[in-house]
Amino acid sequence: SVQVVGDNLVKSEAPDAETKMDQGYCLSRHNNGMAQSPINILTFDADKYKSRNIPIRFNTKIVAVENLGHTIQVDFAGGSECDADGRSYTSKQFHFHTPSEHMIDGMTFPLEMHIVNVLMDSNNKEKPSYLVVAILFKMGKENKLLSEFLGHVPKEESEKDSLPSGTANINDLSPRVLNGTVGNSFYSYDGSLTTAPFTERVHWVILKQIVEASPDQIIAIGKMEGNNARHIQDIYGRKVATARIE
């Protein structure tokens, strides 16, 4: 992320915004880049570009939840990993956007979750590459994963609360969503982080399955973080592919 000092942007190392001033929707619509995120995914176009099946598997442990003011962030323990398409990533954290940042055929969802992973063998450590897995939520039944940590979110901004071992598990998000479940399908494209500095070294995976969370859960997250969704960006000829998890 960056800090705003006068008219200058000062880079930091975190892969997401740290303050409300750094939220994408508060900044300019475009960042002079041609591969910015989020985008509106047109399903009839995406289905034209089918990629091969890709294995995605997580080996993570949740250890803390943070109230960053602009978002709720849940942290993975050191050594947490994600393997995707033969590449190994360090799984850092997941956080939320209310409403969703990505659209599907022009439709916005009330909540979007981003699982942020950093490529382990990035040649330039100062400019790492990312895999971000996005999950879209609709209102429905109470979500088990959200219920495991929402009660632990600190009331005060910039505070962190450790979670006892086993309190929350990424696999409780929804049955058959993650970890190589055969038949799960997703959209994929190359884009950027949706918060400053809007780094254009992100491979996005947006799961087609829409996950349920209760109205109370979604409203609670929205009250804590507000509207932190960046505006839709131009696609500039990029292709969105569809694939299935092996």
Side-chain angles (χ1 to χ4, degrees):
S1 70
V2 300
Q3 292 180 331
V4 179
V5 181
D7 293 328
N8 298 317
L9 297 179
V10 181
K11 291 184 179 180
S12 65
E13 295 180 354
D16 195 17
E18 293 179 339
T19 70
K20 290 183 178 180
M21 284 296 295
D22 291 347
Q23 292 178 126
Y25 83 98
C26 289
L27 301 178
S28 59
R29 179 176 173 82
H30 296 292
N31 196 44
N32 298 322
M34 305 293 281
Q36 289 289 295
S37 298
I39 61 171
N40 177 31
I41 296 171
L42 298 176
T43 57
F44 70 90
D45 273 345
D47 288 339
K48 296 177 185 176
Y49 305 105
K50 294 186 178 181
S51 60
R52 60 189 174 81
N53 293 352
I54 298 174
I56 299 177
R57 290 177 175 81
F58 285 91
N59 181 15
T60 61
K61 180 180 179 183
I62 293 171
V63 294
V65 59
E66 301 184 57
N67 180 350
L68 299 181
H70 70 283
T71 191
I72 296 169
Q73 177 174 298
V74 180
D75 299 325
F76 293 121
S80 292
E81 297 181 8
C82 171
D83 293 319
D85 198 22
R87 291 185 172 186
S88 295
Y89 297 82
T90 299
S91 297
K92 294 292 189 180
Q93 44 94 348
F94 61 86
H95 61 272
F96 298 89
H97 293 272
T98 48
S100 68
E101 295 196 306
H102 287 90
M103 291 183 178
I104 307 295
D105 294 330
M107 182 181 297
T108 299
F109 294 83
L111 180 67
E112 182 171 341
M113 173 177 158
H114 292 166
I115 307 175
V116 179
N117 310 276
V118 182
L119 186 64
M120 287 186 180
D121 61 355
S122 292
N123 293 326
N124 189 340
K125 298 300 181 182
E126 295 182 358
K127 296 181 179 180
S129 298
Y130 300 93
L131 169 74
V132 180
V133 179
I135 298 97
L136 300 168
F137 288 77
K138 64 180 179 180
M139 288 188 177
K141 297 178 181 178
E142 182 176 277
N143 186 274
K144 185 176 181 182
L145 174 63
L146 301 191
S147 67
E148 291 169 348
F149 67 80
L150 269 181
H152 296 273
V153 179
K155 301 298 182 183
E156 298 297 323
E157 190 173 320
S158 302
E159 293 293 326
K160 177 191 291 190
D161 188 12
S162 297
L163 294 176
S165 178
T167 299
N169 189 319
I170 192 70
N171 292 320
D172 291 334
L173 179 66
S174 181
R176 299 177 59 82
V177 169
L178 299 173
N179 281 328
T181 300
V182 175
N184 272 358
S185 55
F186 54 86
Y187 304 105
S188 65
Y189 77 100
D190 291 327
S192 73
L193 297 176
T194 63
T195 51
F198 308 109
T199 304
E200 292 185 345
R201 289 184 298 277
V202 180
H203 185 67
W204 282 93
V205 167
I206 299 98
L207 297 185
K208 286 187 177 182
Q209 178 179 339
I210 309 301
V211 174
E212 290 187 13
S214 72
D216 287 345
Q217 290 177 319
I218 292 174
I219 291 170
I221 294 174
K223 284 183 176 179
M224 283 186 273
E225 64 185 25
N227 183 334
N228 63 348
R230 191 186 190 199
H231 294 298
I232 291 296
Q233 304 294 303
D234 289 335
I235 197 166
Y236 288 119
R238 284 174 287 168
K239 293 179 173 62
V240 179
T242 61
R244 300 180 76 84
I245 298 175
E246 289 183 339

